[in-house]
Amino acid sequence: MALIELSGIERRFLLGDTTVHALAGLDLQINAGEYVAVMGPSGSGKSTLLNLLGLLDRPNEGTYKLEGRDVTTLSPDEQATVRSTRIGFVFQSFHLVPRLTAAENIALPMTLAGIPAAERNKRVAQALKDFGLENRADHKPDQLSGGQRQRVAIARATIMQPALILADEPTGNLDRHTGEEVVNLLEALNAKGVTLIVVTHDQGMGARARRQLVMEDGRLKTDSLQTPISNLAEISG
Amino acid sequence: MRLTDTLRFARDAATGYPMRTTLSVLAMSIGVAAVVILTALGDGARRYVVGQFSSLGTNLIIVLPGRSGTGGFNPANAITSTPRDLTIDDAGSLRRLPGARRVAPLAVGTSEINYGGKLREVMVAGSTAEFIPIRNFELAQGQGLPEEDWNRGSSVAVIGAKIREEMFGANPAIGQLVRVGDRRLRVVGVLKSTGQGLGMNTDELVIVPVSLAQAMFNSNTLFRIMIEANSRDAIPGTKDQVMETLKQRHRGEEDVTVITQDAVLATFDKLLGALTLAVAGIAAISLAVAGILVMNVMLVAVTQRTGEIGLLKALGATARTIRLAFLAEAAMLSAVGALVGYLLGQLGAFALRQAFPVFPAYPPDWAVIAGLSTALATGLIFGVMPARRAARLDPVQALMKH
Ligand SMILES: Nc1ncnc2c1ncn2[C@@H]1O[C@H](COP(=O)(O)OP(=O)(O)OP(=O)(O)O)[C@@H](O)[C@H]1O
Ligand SMILES: [Mg+2]
């Protein structure tokens, strides 16, 4: 069974009088444990797709099945629970809470989920060790380097042991070397079985994924899993 | 999210923005302090007046000449009534009433006192032996007026503390002869100093037998008759008896007014209590204003922290969690504000009491409780709207605002 099953997904935005088709007739299956890079020009709908997969947004049409369950019809609270337990986000601009320490930022998803402090501290300590942040635990985000911040963000994304990690240009704000480190961390997670979907503009980084999706105008232009022939047919059809 | 975590999160958020936090705490504390201080003033005034009235005497019934009945001004009365004088015999007749423990007639006027070449204007109160105990006056030296026939006053006087001081200085006053008006009177007693109260200032008073005073002022009428009832419960019955007796003596005409200290006290108590309430209400408006300020501060907070709210949603926070976090923050701002305001208010009331020791400026409990709970309630009520706005934010839009 596929982890993710999208069929006939439409996402439209109204901009004044014109309707923008951010996603149009999208069908997609992603299996558990896959490593997928989403690429394509600016405005092609990559972020919109990721938001949809992360249950931050709802499609206008179509169904989204996560682990076999139709999640588009869930109530906002049920969706929040799915986000809390099954999905981890990594953002381009890190999105750390500035007044919280690194440890507190990592613990935030557990705090929100109501996990007791003792359990939180145990898991945070482990995560700090795993991501090489032991002596940065009490630092605020503005006392951390970009790479450290993104490591805190990745630690936060994994702390609830999600099945799926969604990363929207996770290296976009990092230099090449630090970006490399961050990608290695994400790939290590994938190696442990977590499904990884990364939006990237970087061809080299995209090439490292086992599967590449290229988007254009809200449609899937190429999917490296499928043969070019069937792919062409899909676009023209 | 757990309650302790929610509170900690709210606390960190509040302390993370010191400027706006200080502002709303300040507004709230000024509101609460205003309630505490203003009600302390109002209630202090009430206590002061009530205290002063109580010091006039206990279980007092007072008869005034002329009718000014409870029905208010009556034009018919104004035309027909030429009030009959209140006489010493009227007062004497009241002594036989079963409910009356003591009766004292009172005639007043001003005159001059003269001793050893020193001259001074004084207030003269003509009364009887029971005047001093009825009015709870105390003697510093000597004794009060003698028990004697009310119509045949002996030539004696009891003088106030200040008069003794001015006339006699360090010399003994008791037994000395002074001249009051055209009379030579022997000083038999000196009153204890009481200072300025609601009633007459006894420090500058000379008390003489009532018949003497009437002769001095060449009048037959009394200013007041004071009756002390046997007990608090006996007041209404005795009051009726007094009225009845005087009516009979005045050929069936109700041409006197009988008031009880109780009634006067209750009226003042109610009046000043209402005043305190009104003042508290006005002060409470400042609390509402503070509530609106807290709301605006929280709305700014929601705007400022839109990105953070989007993040919390992405991390799995439910709308309820976000609502509670922002509500807790608003409640915290108002709670701390209320507490600071309470302390400021108590400090202000304390300062007032230090500055004016006679004035019992204590805030009443109800005002303190009402002030604090209004502060908390407004904080919460005005916190609801921003909290709901935060909870309703679209996560994608919110995340883009970073
Ligand atoms: N909230 C919105 N309102 C209106 N239009 C939107 C909204 N969000 C996205 N769009 C439009 O949908 C299209 C896809 O946007 P999306 O952000 O998914 O692009 P993207 O592939 O992530 O681009 P980039 O590489 O620049 O991040 C764009 O044309 C964009 O203008
Ligand atoms: Mg994008």
Side-chain angles (χ1 to χ4, degrees):
Chain A
M1 183 190 66
L3 178 76
I4 290 167
E5 238 184 297
L6 299 180
S7 51
I9 294 290
E10 296 270 342
R11 183 66 176 106
R12 297 182 289 268
F13 293 105
L14 269 178
L15 265 184
D17 293 338
T18 55
T19 309
V20 182
H21 289 264
L23 294 176
L26 196 72
D27 300 305
L28 180 64
Q29 288 202 359
I30 296 173
N31 288 320
E34 272 197 74
Y35 176 12
V36 182
V38 183
M39 296 186 288
S42 186
S44 57
K46 305 182 296 292
S47 295
T48 307
L49 174 63
L50 222 61
N51 290 336
L52 208 103
L53 291 176
L55 296 179
L56 293 175
D57 199 6
R58 287 168 190 265
N60 297 99
E61 267 159 55
T63 55
Y64 169 19
K65 283 188 181 166
L66 181 68
E67 296 175 320
R69 175 158 78 141
D70 185 355
V71 288
T72 44
T73 56
L74 294 182
S75 74
D77 278 1
E78 289 168 327
Q79 290 195 332
T81 310
V82 173
R83 282 199 297 272
S84 166
T85 54
R86 309 305 296 153
I87 303 170
F89 291 91
V90 178
F91 306 95
Q92 176 177 1
S93 51
F94 321 130
H95 271 302
L96 301 180
V97 181
R99 60 175 181 279
L100 300 182
T101 64
E104 286 168 335
N105 266 293
I106 295 173
L108 195 50
M110 295 191 286
T111 310
L112 292 170
I115 291 173
E119 169 74 12
R120 291 200 309 251
N121 294 339
K122 212 174 73 192
R123 282 208 235 165
V124 168
Q126 183 62 43
L128 285 168
K129 213 190 299 160
D130 292 349
F131 292 91
L133 292 163
E134 287 113 316
N135 38 29
R136 294 287 179 274
D138 296 326
H139 289 220
K140 298 274 169 70
D142 58 6
Q143 299 163 325
L144 297 173
S145 72
Q148 286 167 339
R149 284 185 215 181
Q150 199 58 304
R151 273 188 277 161
V152 170
I154 294 171
R156 182 180 64 191
T158 57
I159 202 77
M160 292 293 286
Q161 290 154 355
L164 174 63
I165 288 188
L166 303 171
D168 197 346
E169 302 186 38
T171 61
N173 280 356
L174 300 174
D175 62 54
R176 179 160 273 294
H177 175 69
T178 331
E180 181 81 19
E181 274 178 17
V182 164
V183 173
N184 286 341
L185 279 177
L186 290 172
E187 288 177 354
L189 292 171
N190 173 246
K192 286 188 204 147
V194 181
T195 310
L196 179 62
I197 303 178
V198 184
V199 170
T200 182
H201 279 121
D202 184 330
Q203 293 295 331
M205 206 172 95
R208 290 170 65 155
R210 259 170 276 129
R211 179 179 175 189
Q212 285 84 29
L213 303 175
V214 180
M215 299 199 52
E216 203 176 75
D217 293 335
R219 295 171 187 277
L220 218 50
K221 191 175 138 207
T222 41
D223 182 345
S224 64
L225 269 195
Q226 286 163 336
T227 62
I229 307 292
S230 69
N231 199 24
L232 271 177
E234 194 178 316
I235 291 170
S236 55
Chain B
M1 189 146 66
R2 285 159 177 263
L3 183 64
T4 49
D5 289 328
T6 305
L7 293 179
R8 204 148 52 90
F9 189 84
R11 184 203 64 196
D12 291 349
T15 50
Y17 298 84
M19 184 65 192
R20 65 173 181 79
T21 299
T22 311
L23 204 72
S24 29
V25 165
L26 200 69
M28 203 43 105
S29 61
I30 288 171
V32 173
V35 170
V36 171
I37 291 179
L38 289 177
T39 54
L41 272 175
D43 206 53
R46 187 186 64 81
R47 280 181 214 223
Y48 178 75
V49 169
V50 168
Q52 289 293 336
F53 259 96
S54 306
S55 74
L56 288 182
T58 35
N59 304 331
L60 219 52
I61 299 168
I62 302 164
V63 183
L64 292 68
R67 178 166 174 80
S68 64
T70 47
F73 179 73
N74 183 341
N77 266 350
I79 296 161
T80 57
S81 70
T82 37
R84 194 178 302 268
D85 287 345
L86 211 49
T87 64
I88 292 179
D89 290 341
D90 284 338
S93 71
L94 298 177
R95 300 172 88 179
R96 287 188 289 275
L97 294 181
R101 174 180 294 162
R102 297 186 174 112
V103 178
L106 178 63
V108 295
T110 53
S111 185
E112 281 171 346
I113 186 168
N114 186 342
Y115 174 78
K118 280 175 257 179
L119 194 71
R120 178 189 206 290
E121 199 174 343
V122 289
M123 177 94 158
V124 176
S127 191
T128 60
E130 296 193 319
F131 180 62
I132 288 175
I134 283 183
R135 288 294 312 272
N136 290 343
F137 294 159
E138 282 179 85
L139 287 163
Q141 303 165 24
Q143 48 205 311
L145 297 178
E147 298 276 359
E148 60 184 344
D149 184 346
W150 288 6
N151 284 305
R152 196 154 34 78
S154 39
S155 299
V156 294
V158 175
I159 60 174
K162 191 165 176 200
I163 296 187
R164 189 206 63 81
E165 169 82 38
E166 285 180 12
M167 292 290 138
F168 299 97
N171 301 319
I174 303 293
Q176 299 300 315
L177 282 174
V178 292
R179 179 170 286 279
V180 177
D182 55 355
R183 308 280 169 143
R184 287 171 66 80
L185 306 175
R186 190 170 300 280
V187 177
V188 293
V190 179
L191 291 171
K192 259 193 194 160
S193 176
T194 54
Q196 185 65 57
L198 240 198
M200 39 180 105
N201 184 356
T202 61
D203 292 355
E204 298 179 48
L205 189 67
V206 172
I207 304 173
V208 302
V210 62
S211 54
L212 210 70
Q214 285 191 332
M216 238 185 245
F217 303 132
N218 198 17
S219 117
N220 280 325
T221 187
L222 293 176
F223 173 64
R224 297 280 188 272
I225 301 173
M226 299 189 183
I227 302 118
E228 184 184 322
N230 278 327
S231 67
R232 200 186 167 85
D233 297 334
I235 292 174
T238 311
K239 180 188 174 191
D240 292 346
Q241 290 166 4
V242 167
M243 196 68 197
E244 196 51 42
T245 310
L246 292 180
K247 193 172 161 186
Q248 268 168 25
R249 290 181 58 86
H250 293 188
R251 299 201 198 139
E253 261 191 76
E254 282 193 16
D255 57 0
V256 296
T257 303
V258 183
I259 57 174
T260 62
Q261 186 189 14
D262 257 24
V264 176
L265 213 92
T267 308
F268 267 98
D269 200 13
K270 237 167 52 194
L271 199 78
L272 290 165
L275 192 79
T276 308
L277 203 66
V279 164
I282 292 167
I285 292 173
S286 67
L287 278 179
V289 172
I292 290 170
L293 195 104
V294 167
M295 175 170 75
N296 279 302
V297 160
M298 289 311 296
L299 284 176
V300 170
V302 171
T303 314
Q304 256 178 359
R305 280 152 57 195
T306 299
E308 177 187 321
I309 294 163
L311 171 75
L312 293 180
K313 291 199 159 183
L315 296 182
T318 58
R320 189 182 123 87
T321 298
I322 289 168
R323 233 177 9 243
L324 281 180
F326 276 83
L327 212 54
E329 194 177 331
M332 229 171 249
L333 293 181
S334 13
V336 172
L339 203 73
V340 171
Y342 172 72
L343 294 178
L344 279 180
Q346 288 289 12
L347 205 72
F350 176 76
L352 274 175
R353 294 195 297 271
Q354 293 295 306
F356 310 101
V358 295
F359 198 75
Y362 292 93
D365 287 346
W366 63 261
V368 170
I369 292 168
L372 287 177
S373 45
T374 312
L376 289 180
T378 46
L380 272 181
I381 290 167
F382 285 110
V384 167
M385 208 253 268
R388 291 176 60 145
R389 180 172 294 187
R392 271 206 298 262
L393 282 179
D394 174 55
V396 175
Q397 301 287 327
L399 274 169
M400 288 196 303
K401 290 243 184 66
H402 194 73

